Amino acid sequence: MTLKEQCARRRSVRKYSDKEVSDQLLNSLFEAAGRTQTMGNLQLYSVVVTRSEEMKKRLSPLHFCQPMVTEAPVVLTVCADFHRTVAWCECRKAEPGYSNFLSFVNAAIDALLFTQTFCNLAEEQGLGLCYLGTTVYQPEQIIETLRLPRLVMPLATLSLGWPAEEPALSDRLPVASFVHQETYHDYSASDIDRFYRAKEALPENKHFVEINAKETLAQIFTDIRYTKADNEAMSEGFLKALRRQGFLDEI
Amino acid sequence: MTLKEQCARRRSVRKYSDKEVSDQLLNSLFEAAGRTQTMGNLQLYSVVVTRSEEMKKRLSPLHFCQPMVTEAPVVLTVCADFHRTVAWCECRKAEPGYSNFLSFVNAAIDALLFTQTFCNLAEEQGLGLCYLGTTVYQPEQIIETLRLPRLVMPLATLSLGWPAEEPALSDRLPVASFVHQETYHDYSASDIDRFYRAKEALPENKHFVEINAKETLAQIFTDIRYTKADNEAMSEGFLKALRRQGFLDEI
C-alpha cells in the first residue's frame, strides 16, 4: 500500500491488542523518522518512551484520564529540545544563544515534523496510534513527571499499539477550503456554508448538537470543547512553562 | 518503495527540472495530507500556493534570497489558521475564544503535522522539495505579501518540483542520542563526545571549521549560522507578528 492509499484510510486508533511493540521495531522507526529535515540538521527534538505502568498512571491525569494512556503498550512524548544541542556547545567552547522564543519555535517545528513522519511510518507497519493534543494543556506537570530539563518542552504525545478496533473514517473539509492561490482569499458566508455543509449534516454531529441542547455545531466547539476561558487559562500555563524552561527569558 | 525505504534515502532537493507540477497532482496530495489528524478535526491550517513569477520575486528576499524560491515551479506557504474556523463560528451564532496563545500552538501543531505528511507524500510521487525554515524569521513581511488575515500565521515554506539533482545523503545523530526511557536522562561529556563524534569528523564539517577560522563545529552554529543576536531580534519579530495576528492579545 502506498502512503497515499494509507492516508485515504487513516483513522486514529484508541484500542490496542496485548501484542508487544518491540524496542527493535520502535528504534527502527525512530531511525527512519530521524531522516526528516531539521534546522541546520541539528535535530532539535527528543522522545521519552513510557512503558512502565507506574509512569503511565502518572501521565494519565495530565491527559485528562483518556484511557489510551494507561491501555496502550507504549506512550511516546515528543519534545522540542535545545538542551542536547546546548550541552554540545558547552562541551565545545561555543556560547549558545538559544534561550529565546524563536529557538523554541525552531525546535517545535523540528519536533512536530519528526512526529508526523514517525506517525506515517508506524501506520505503515500496521501499528495504530492516537495523537493526544492534551500535551500542551498542562505542560508543567508533564515536565515534572518526565523530568525534562531546561530548554526541553513537551509538545506531542502518541499512544501506540497494534490495533484492536477499526473505527469509522472521520470527515474532512474539501481541499478548496484550505488552499489559496497566490494570496489568501477571505471567506464569504456562502463559502462557509459550502465548506462546512457536509460536516454539519453528519448524523453524529447533529446528535451532539441535540443532546447538548445547542443550536449549531460550531457552538459545540466554542461553548463545550474548546472554550475561551479554558484557552486563556491554558495559554497562561503554556507561557509559564516556556519561561520555566528558559525559552522566554526576554519577555 | 516503502516510506521506510524512502526515508532512508531522503535528501532535500534544491534544483528542479522544467517539468510542470500540475494542479491536479498538487490537489490530490493536499487531499491525502488532509487526512492527517488535527485538533477536534478542525484542520487549523491553510496553504498558499505560489506559482507566479511576481509573487516568487516578492517572497524571495523574505527567505534571504535562497534561489529555490524563484527557481522552483511551486512554492507553498503553510499557515496555522484559526481564521476560517472563526469565520464559521461567526456565521453560526457561536462566540469564538481563539485569540490567545494556546490557540496559536494548537493551530501550529495542525499545520506542521499536515506539512510533514504532505512532504512524505510528495516525495513518494518522486517530487523533490526543500523545507525553508526562514518562514519564521520575518513573518510580518510574509503576512503582508500573502495578505494573511488575523489569526493566520505562516510557519512552513516548501519549494517543490521534479528533481534535477541528487545531493549526497546528510548525516544524522544516533537514535540513542534523542530517545529517553521513562524519564529524560541528562548528557555527560562522554555522551556528547560519543553522539557528535561522527558529525564532527565529516570532511565537509572540518572544512567549515577551517575556512571560518573556528576551533569547533559547534562554534559554526553559535557564532555564524544561528547567533544569539539574530535569534533575539527574530524572537521579537515573531512575537510582534503573533500580536498583530491576534494570537497574543492577553500578554
Side-chain angles (χ1 to χ4, degrees):
Chain A
M1 183 164 38
T2 65
L3 176 61
K4 207 170 168 185
E5 290 161 346
Q6 182 183 310
C7 284
R9 62 185 73 184
R10 201 246 151 224
R11 58 262 284 168
S12 294
V13 171
R14 293 176 175 79
K15 292 189 192 305
Y16 312 98
S17 79
D18 290 337
K19 190 178 160 191
E20 192 211 16
V21 178
S22 73
D23 267 328
Q24 195 187 359
L25 173 59
L26 216 49
N27 284 333
S28 76
L29 298 177
F30 288 145
E31 186 171 1
R35 297 293 315 161
T36 304
Q37 70 282 346
T38 60
M39 189 193 86
N41 199 17
L42 286 171
Q43 300 179 250
L44 302 169
Y45 52 77
S46 55
V47 187
V48 182
V49 180
T50 304
R51 288 183 179 273
S52 81
E53 296 305 316
E54 188 214 325
M55 290 303 286
K56 286 180 197 165
K57 270 187 200 143
R58 290 179 59 190
L59 286 175
S60 171
L62 312 183
H63 295 287
F64 299 142
C65 298
Q66 293 178 87
M68 300 84 81
V69 176
T70 48
E71 290 172 11
V74 184
V75 175
L76 303 176
T77 307
V78 186
C79 307
D81 187 333
F82 242 116
H83 180 83
R84 188 192 60 244
T85 304
V86 163
W88 177 50
C89 293
E90 287 171 347
C91 289
R92 296 293 185 269
K93 304 183 196 169
E95 275 184 47
Y98 307 118
S99 295
N100 43 61
F101 187 69
L102 191 84
S103 298
F104 166 67
V105 171
N106 284 324
I109 291 171
D110 282 9
L112 291 163
L113 301 181
F114 167 83
T115 298
Q116 189 54 26
T117 299
F118 179 89
C119 290
N120 290 331
L121 284 162
E123 290 173 340
E124 179 177 72
Q125 296 299 313
L127 286 161
L129 59 87
C130 184
Y131 184 102
L132 282 80
T134 39
T135 318
V136 297
Y137 293 179
Q138 302 179 69
E140 280 214 271
Q141 296 180 56
I142 295 176
I143 288 164
E144 276 168 33
T145 305
L146 302 181
R147 297 192 211 148
L148 306 180
R150 201 178 139 82
L151 299 183
V152 181
M153 268 298 283
L155 280 179
T157 300
L158 304 172
S159 59
L160 188 72
W162 301 101
E165 64 166 358
E166 189 175 311
L169 276 187
S170 51
D171 65 294
R172 290 295 185 274
L173 295 171
V175 167
S177 74
F178 60 80
V179 175
H180 301 259
Q181 304 299 328
E182 304 298 342
T183 55
Y184 196 100
H185 290 87
D186 213 342
Y187 299 87
S188 66
S190 75
D191 291 335
I192 293 293
D193 288 348
R194 186 160 48 99
F195 294 143
Y196 286 84
R197 190 181 295 142
K199 186 187 281 288
E200 292 170 323
L202 289 173
E204 63 266 35
N205 285 339
K206 288 189 158 186
H207 181 66
F208 277 139
V209 175
E210 204 180 292
I211 60 170
N212 286 291
K214 292 291 169 189
E215 208 179 333
T216 68
L217 179 63
Q219 290 172 351
I220 296 286
F221 289 93
T222 56
D223 299 357
I224 299 170
R225 293 191 65 183
Y226 307 103
T227 69
K228 186 176 180 181
D230 284 351
N231 282 327
E232 289 183 351
M234 293 188 297
S235 293
E236 257 182 61
F238 195 95
L239 288 164
K240 193 174 156 216
L242 272 186
R243 273 189 203 97
R244 169 188 170 152
Q245 296 308 88
F247 279 124
L248 264 182
D249 282 358
E250 85 277 18
I251 295 194
Chain B
M1 183 165 37
T2 64
L3 176 60
K4 206 168 168 185
E5 290 161 346
Q6 181 183 310
C7 284
R9 61 185 74 184
R10 201 245 151 224
R11 58 262 283 168
S12 294
V13 170
R14 293 175 174 79
K15 293 191 191 303
Y16 311 98
S17 79
D18 290 338
K19 191 179 160 190
E20 192 211 15
V21 178
S22 73
D23 267 327
Q24 196 187 359
L25 173 59
L26 216 49
N27 284 332
S28 76
L29 298 178
F30 288 144
E31 187 172 0
R35 296 293 315 161
T36 304
Q37 70 283 346
T38 59
M39 188 193 86
N41 199 17
L42 286 172
Q43 300 179 251
L44 302 170
Y45 52 76
S46 55
V47 188
V48 182
V49 180
T50 305
R51 288 182 179 275
S52 81
E53 295 305 315
E54 188 213 326
M55 290 303 285
K56 286 179 198 166
K57 268 187 201 142
R58 290 179 59 191
L59 286 176
S60 170
L62 312 183
H63 295 288
F64 300 141
C65 298
Q66 294 178 86
M68 301 82 83
V69 176
T70 49
E71 290 172 11
V74 183
V75 175
L76 304 176
T77 307
V78 186
C79 306
D81 187 332
F82 241 116
H83 181 83
R84 187 191 62 243
T85 304
V86 163
W88 176 50
C89 294
E90 288 171 347
C91 289
R92 295 293 185 269
K93 303 182 198 170
E95 276 184 47
Y98 307 119
S99 294
N100 44 61
F101 187 69
L102 191 85
S103 298
F104 165 67
V105 171
N106 284 324
I109 291 172
D110 282 9
L112 291 163
L113 300 182
F114 167 84
T115 298
Q116 190 54 28
T117 300
F118 179 88
C119 289
N120 290 329
L121 285 161
E123 290 172 340
E124 179 177 71
Q125 296 298 313
L127 287 161
L129 59 87
C130 184
Y131 184 102
L132 281 81
T134 38
T135 318
V136 298
Y137 293 179
Q138 302 179 70
E140 280 214 271
Q141 297 180 56
I142 295 176
I143 288 164
E144 277 169 32
T145 304
L146 302 181
R147 296 191 212 148
L148 306 180
R150 199 179 139 82
L151 299 183
V152 181
M153 267 299 281
L155 280 178
T157 300
L158 304 172
S159 60
L160 188 71
W162 301 101
E165 63 165 359
E166 189 174 312
L169 276 187
S170 52
D171 65 294
R172 289 296 185 273
L173 296 171
V175 167
S177 74
F178 61 80
V179 175
H180 301 259
Q181 303 300 326
E182 304 298 341
T183 56
Y184 196 100
H185 289 87
D186 213 341
Y187 299 87
S188 66
S190 75
D191 290 335
I192 293 293
D193 288 348
R194 186 159 49 99
F195 294 143
Y196 286 87
R197 189 181 296 141
K199 186 187 282 288
E200 292 171 322
L202 289 173
E204 63 266 35
N205 285 340
K206 288 190 159 187
H207 181 66
F208 278 139
V209 174
E210 202 181 293
I211 59 170
N212 287 291
K214 293 290 169 190
E215 208 179 333
T216 68
L217 180 62
Q219 291 173 351
I220 296 286
F221 289 93
T222 56
D223 300 356
I224 299 170
R225 293 190 65 183
Y226 307 102
T227 69
K228 186 175 180 182
D230 283 351
N231 281 328
E232 289 183 350
M234 293 189 295
S235 294
E236 258 182 60
F238 195 94
L239 288 164
K240 194 173 155 216
L242 271 185
R243 274 189 200 96
R244 169 187 169 152
Q245 295 309 86
F247 278 123
L248 264 182
D249 282 359
E250 85 278 17
I251 295 193

